[in-house]
Amino acid sequence: MARRRSQKNKKTSSKENTEVTLEILLSDCSNYDSWSTRVINAFRTVDPQLEQILDKSIIPPNYARENVSDEDQRCIRLNYLAFDILVNSLSKEDYHALIINHYEHIPDAHDIWTR
């Protein structure tokens, strides 16, 4: 999990130890353009396949942990990488609001992006 460096920027790392700096999305969304650019660049840096989460959910339909395919594992891994980047780019208040209102078993990174 990333450590807070400042209110404006955070750094996050993937399993591959690729470190990216993120901008915190302000509560009034006045920095949305620069924030979204940084998030997309972080996706591209960590794993170019993460960018597909901007357009659609990649969580496998009818995902079952006891009978998981390699492709399902890849999709879940990518989803969690994207989810980590997104939640680490939220303000503390927005993060808590997201967690309180998020009841899904597997957090969907696409859903977080569209919110």
Side-chain angles (χ1 to χ4, degrees):
M1 188 66 53
R3 295 182 189 177
R4 184 168 287 229
R5 303 289 185 207
S6 71
Q7 183 58 26
K8 179 156 172 119
N9 296 304
K10 284 186 175 180
K11 291 187 179 182
T12 189
S13 299
S14 73
K15 289 182 181 177
E16 294 82 18
N17 294 324
T18 302
E19 193 169 271
V20 294
T21 301
L22 299 171
E23 182 174 347
I24 303 298
L25 180 62
L26 300 176
S27 294
D28 65 359
C29 296
S30 60
N31 66 331
Y32 178 80
D33 289 340
S34 60
W35 172 84
S36 62
T37 299
R38 289 246 185 150
V39 168
I40 292 168
N41 286 336
F43 284 176
R44 290 175 180 157
T45 300
V46 171
D47 189 322
Q49 294 182 344
L50 291 180
E51 209 170 341
Q52 66 186 312
I53 288 169
L54 303 175
D55 299 321
K56 63 181 180 174
S57 173
I58 64 167
I59 295 177
N62 304 318
Y63 174 72
R65 288 184 178 177
E66 57 278 349
N67 190 20
V68 62
S69 69
D70 289 343
E71 178 63 16
D72 287 352
Q73 285 181 334
R74 184 189 70 81
C75 289
I76 295 298
R77 181 187 151 278
L78 289 174
N79 181 74
Y80 276 119
L81 285 172
F83 181 82
D84 186 55
I85 290 169
L86 288 168
V87 299
N88 280 300
S89 69
L90 297 175
S91 69
K92 187 177 184 179
E93 297 80 21
D94 288 338
Y95 173 78
H96 287 296
L98 170 74
I99 295 304
I100 289 169
N101 294 319
H102 205 73
Y103 298 109
E104 295 178 39
H105 182 64
I106 300 173
D108 187 345
H110 174 71
D111 181 50
I112 305 306
W113 174 258
T114 57
R115 288 184 198 196

